[in-house]
Amino acid sequence: MNLTINGVETPIESGPLTSLLDVLREELGITSPKAGCEQGGCGACTVLVDGEPRRSCLTPAASVDGAAITTVEGLGTPENLSPVQQAFTHHYAAQCGFCTSGMMMASQAYIDGGGTDDREAIQHALGGHVCRCTGYVKIIDAVAAVVRGESFDPNVTAAGTAMTNLGGMA
Amino acid sequence: MKAVGARVPRYDGVAHATGRTEFVDDVRIPGTLWVKAFRSPVHSATMTNLDTSRAAAMKGVHVITWEDVPLLEYGHLSALGIPADEPLLAKDEVRYLGQPIAIVAAPSEEAAMAAVAAITADFQERPALFDVRKAFDADAPVIHQEGNWYTHFENEMDRRQIRKGNIDEAFDKADLIVQGVYRPAAIEHAPIETQVCQVVPEANGRLTIYSCTQALYFSMGVVAAHLQLPLNKLKVVGGTVGGGFGGKVDTATETMCALLAQKSGKPVKWRWTREEEFLCSSTRAPWHMEVADAVTKDGWILGRKMLTLHDSGAYSRFSPYGLTKHSFHHTGAYSIPNLEFNGYVVYTNRTPTTAMRGFGVTSVSFATETHMSRIALELGIDPFELRLKNANRIGDTSPNQIAYTDPSTVPTILAIADAVGHDLTSEYAGMTPAQRSGDLLPEHLVGQLGNPEAH
Ligand code: FES
Ligand code: FES
């Protein structure tokens, strides 16, 4: 099997029924997708398969043979953050950070698919992604900011939306 | 103080956003063995004929049972002199569904599961106890030899008790007794990162423990005690927690992984499944609270009697500490001069309970605030005014006789009234937490006053 992972064509040695999550984490050492439940319930393992968000824990490797896979490692680097990464940082959308990779990949797919900054639409796009720490308000703020084309320098920025959660949810 | 009031970038924000934060599960160590547990299939039983021989004979499999643990019983509060009641691995009694009995390490997850499936034991099941209210009945199932509730509070008292003022006089003088029962349920912390640990035996004889603990030094002490090792044989790497909320204060995995690393001489990793996290990890405790207040028609609370049953689950863990905090807060944010509080840490056959955000205090806050509203309703008094009238003020004393120096009840309630647009009469709208005097110092509150300068 072969996968193109973040633009790099990669031969895969794991068996055909190995989950894509295990291929990425265990065979290749790409650890941004997380094993939160391995049952399709939390979204922490989400990666893009040919641009579509997929739960890698439920995706047998053979079913995506030849596909292009994007993980957070493919979005940007600390020196050159992508707009989604900038916005998640700026809006404090990652508290413990464990759900963050999956959240960002689903957000990226939503934005690439022409999603708007409508809060309900964002909420719908991130449905099934569980975050136990941050709460969803800041995550939705971050996605909406990207759609609006806002960009931030996370090292110097201090301005932003109000920090209160009161009335934040649509 | 540059950070106060400013928006400060998170120190770990960029690492989170680039997937580079290294959680315990992300630490890559070649040749790591997978760990799985053989757990109790029943809530309560005597266990006999534990047989791990078939598992131990499997290729590359290592097994640990109670016999391999140098010090079987040790608790997080043992260092404070509070006796432990929980074996690291069950020996002859199982007291909750999912209690660990044997732990295996194997070259792959599948091999570890196969090894667990090869372990057998006989369980003579007993009726289980799930309702704290039944724990005191003569015919209730007996959970521990010493009984169904914890008996080691100071001077071997079997409860946490608080007495203040003269409770009988307060109830004699009351115009009305307002009673309520409050029973918040158990809550699973449900962090998105399940319990996870890696332990590496180092060439220098030390064990490196990668832990998702919220309480690194607690865990270090607990592992060292069970293994009977000096602390300098342990290097604990922690500080990156994929959500904890109190549920990662227990040392759920580190000790057993350390034993397996010692026995196998290989690095081991234990990552709980989501199912294990829900079924076997500790929860916030369910509580049973009964409150009876002696009140006057014009809205003063003269006295409170309270009974709390703290559902500890099968073992006490941190529960005595949680109940103690609970007792200190049992008047909520209000001054009640005459008190009779009795609280018990009650054993049941539930999963042991532990800390969760505001350990011991969220439950009592729920009860006391609901009760304040109930009193207001029964008396026909504005619930904000009732709270402001009885609010803690400078110089008032807590249930355990600490004089408040800077109580925030009054400004908090005023801010809430403001936020929800609740109109207050001028008498209340301009209130401050200043020391009681005049109408706010009725006779029943004089005796409880303390000296705020004393602390
Ligand atoms: S780990 Fe895949 S959805 Fe939770
Ligand atoms: S930030 Fe912790 S689960 Fe979302």
Coordinates of all heavy atoms in Angstrom, one line a residue, chain A residues 92-100 103 130-136 139, chain B residues 16 23 190-193 241-245, ligand 2:
Chain A
Y92 N -7.4 31.0 22.0 CA -7.4 30.1 23.1 C -8.3 28.9 22.9 O -9.0 28.5 23.8 CB -7.7 30.8 24.4 CG -6.9 32.0 24.7 CD1 -7.2 33.3 24.4 CD2 -5.6 31.9 25.4 CE1 -6.5 34.4 24.7 CE2 -4.9 33.0 25.7 CZ -5.3 34.2 25.3 OH -4.5 35.3 25.6
A93 N -8.3 28.4 21.6 CA -9.2 27.3 21.3 C -8.7 26.0 21.7 O -9.3 25.0 21.4 CB -9.6 27.4 19.8
A94 N -7.5 25.9 22.3 CA -6.9 24.7 22.7 C -6.5 24.8 24.2 O -5.5 25.5 24.5 CB -5.7 24.3 21.8
Q95 N -7.2 24.1 25.0 CA -6.8 24.2 26.4 C -5.8 23.0 26.7 O -4.6 23.3 26.7 CB -7.9 24.1 27.4 CG -7.5 24.3 28.8 CD -8.7 24.5 29.8 OE1 -9.6 25.2 29.5 NE2 -8.6 23.9 31.0
C96 N -6.3 21.8 26.8 CA -5.3 20.7 27.0 C -4.7 20.3 25.7 O -3.6 19.8 25.7 CB -5.9 19.5 27.7 SG -6.8 18.4 26.6
G97 N -5.4 20.6 24.6 CA -4.8 20.3 23.3 C -5.1 18.9 22.7 O -4.7 18.6 21.6
F98 N -5.8 18.1 23.5 CA -5.9 16.7 23.0 C -6.9 16.5 21.9 O -6.7 15.7 21.0 CB -6.3 15.8 24.2 CG -5.8 14.4 24.0 CD1 -4.5 14.0 24.2 CD2 -6.7 13.4 23.6 CE1 -4.1 12.7 24.0 CE2 -6.3 12.1 23.4 CZ -5.0 11.7 23.6
C99 N -7.9 17.4 21.9 CA -8.9 17.3 20.9 C -8.6 18.1 19.7 O -9.2 18.1 18.6 CB -10.3 17.8 21.4 SG -10.3 19.5 21.7
T100 N -7.5 19.0 19.8 CA -7.3 20.1 18.9 C -6.9 19.7 17.5 O -7.4 20.3 16.6 CB -6.1 20.9 19.5 OG1 -6.4 21.3 20.9 CG2 -5.9 22.2 18.7
M103 N -10.1 18.7 15.8 CA -10.9 20.0 15.6 C -10.4 20.8 14.5 O -11.1 21.3 13.6 CB -10.8 20.8 16.9 CG -11.6 20.3 18.1 SD -13.4 20.6 17.9 CE -13.9 20.0 19.5
V130 N -15.6 16.0 20.3 CA -15.8 16.3 21.7 C -14.6 17.0 22.3 O -13.5 16.5 22.1 CB -16.0 14.9 22.5 CG1 -16.3 15.2 23.9 CG2 -17.2 14.2 21.8
C131 N -14.8 18.1 22.9 CA -13.8 18.8 23.7 C -14.3 18.8 25.1 O -15.4 19.3 25.4 CB -13.6 20.2 23.2 SG -12.4 21.1 24.2
R132 N -13.5 18.4 26.1 CA -13.9 18.3 27.5 C -13.4 19.6 28.2 O -13.9 19.8 29.3 CB -13.4 17.0 28.1 CG -14.0 16.7 29.5 CD -15.4 16.4 29.5 NE -15.8 15.7 30.7 CZ -16.9 15.9 31.3 NH1 -17.8 16.8 30.9 NH2 -17.2 15.2 32.4
C133 N -12.4 20.3 27.7 CA -11.8 21.4 28.4 C -12.2 22.8 28.0 O -12.7 23.6 28.8 CB -10.3 21.4 28.4 SG -9.5 19.8 28.3
T134 N -12.0 23.1 26.7 CA -12.1 24.4 26.2 C -13.5 25.0 26.3 O -13.8 26.1 26.5 CB -11.5 24.5 24.8 OG1 -10.3 24.0 24.8 CG2 -11.5 26.0 24.3
G135 N -14.4 24.1 26.0 CA -15.8 24.5 25.7 C -15.8 24.9 24.2 O -14.7 25.1 23.6
Y136 N -16.9 25.0 23.6 CA -16.9 25.1 22.1 C -16.9 26.6 21.6 O -16.6 26.8 20.5 CB -18.1 24.3 21.6 CG -18.0 22.9 22.0 CD1 -18.7 22.4 23.1 CD2 -17.2 22.0 21.3 CE1 -18.6 21.1 23.5 CE2 -17.0 20.7 21.7 CZ -17.8 20.2 22.8 OH -17.6 18.9 23.2
I139 N -13.6 27.7 20.2 CA -13.3 27.0 18.9 C -14.1 27.5 17.8 O -13.6 27.8 16.7 CB -13.5 25.5 19.2 CG1 -12.6 24.9 20.2 CG2 -13.4 24.7 17.9 CD1 -12.9 23.5 20.7
Chain B
H16 N 0.3 23.1 20.8 CA -1.0 22.4 20.6 C -1.5 22.6 19.2 O -1.9 21.6 18.5 CB -2.1 23.0 21.5 CG -2.0 22.7 23.0 ND1 -1.1 21.7 23.4 CD2 -2.6 23.2 24.0 CE1 -1.3 21.6 24.7 NE2 -2.2 22.5 25.1
F23 N 2.1 14.3 24.3 CA 1.4 13.6 25.4 C 2.0 12.3 25.7 O 2.9 11.8 24.9 CB -0.1 13.4 25.0 CG -0.9 14.7 24.8 CD1 -0.9 15.4 23.6 CD2 -1.5 15.3 25.9 CE1 -1.6 16.6 23.4 CE2 -2.2 16.5 25.7 CZ -2.2 17.2 24.5
A190 N -14.4 12.0 32.1 CA -14.3 11.8 30.7 C -13.3 12.7 30.0 O -13.6 13.4 29.0 CB -15.7 12.1 30.1
P191 N -12.0 12.7 30.4 CA -11.0 13.4 29.6 C -10.9 12.8 28.3 O -11.1 11.5 28.1 CB -9.7 13.2 30.5 CG -10.0 11.9 31.2 CD -11.5 11.9 31.5
I192 N -10.5 13.6 27.3 CA -10.4 13.0 25.9 C -9.2 12.1 25.9 O -9.1 11.1 25.1 CB -10.4 14.0 24.8 CG1 -11.6 15.0 25.0 CG2 -10.5 13.4 23.5 CD1 -13.0 14.3 25.0
E193 N -8.2 12.4 26.6 CA -7.0 11.5 26.8 C -7.4 10.5 27.9 O -7.5 11.0 29.1 CB -5.7 12.2 27.1 CG -4.5 11.4 27.4 CD -3.5 12.1 28.3 OE1 -3.8 12.6 29.4 OE2 -2.3 12.1 27.9
V241 N -1.1 17.0 30.4 CA -2.3 16.2 30.7 C -3.4 16.5 29.7 O -3.7 17.6 29.5 CB -2.8 16.6 32.1 CG1 -4.0 15.7 32.5 CG2 -1.7 16.5 33.2
G242 N -3.9 15.4 29.1 CA -4.9 15.6 28.1 C -6.3 15.7 28.7 O -7.2 14.9 28.3
G243 N -6.5 16.5 29.7 CA -7.7 16.7 30.4 C -7.7 15.8 31.6 O -7.3 14.6 31.5
G244 N -8.0 16.3 32.8 CA -8.0 15.5 34.0 C -9.2 15.8 34.9 O -9.9 14.9 35.2
F245 N -9.4 17.0 35.2 CA -10.5 17.4 36.0 C -10.6 16.8 37.4 O -11.7 16.7 38.0 CB -11.8 17.2 35.2 CG -11.7 17.6 33.8 CD1 -11.7 16.6 32.8 CD2 -11.5 18.9 33.4 CE1 -11.5 16.9 31.5 CE2 -11.3 19.2 32.0 CZ -11.3 18.2 31.1
Ligands
FES2 S1 -8.8 21.1 24.8 FE1 -8.9 19.4 26.1 S2 -10.3 18.2 25.1 FE2 -10.4 19.9 23.9

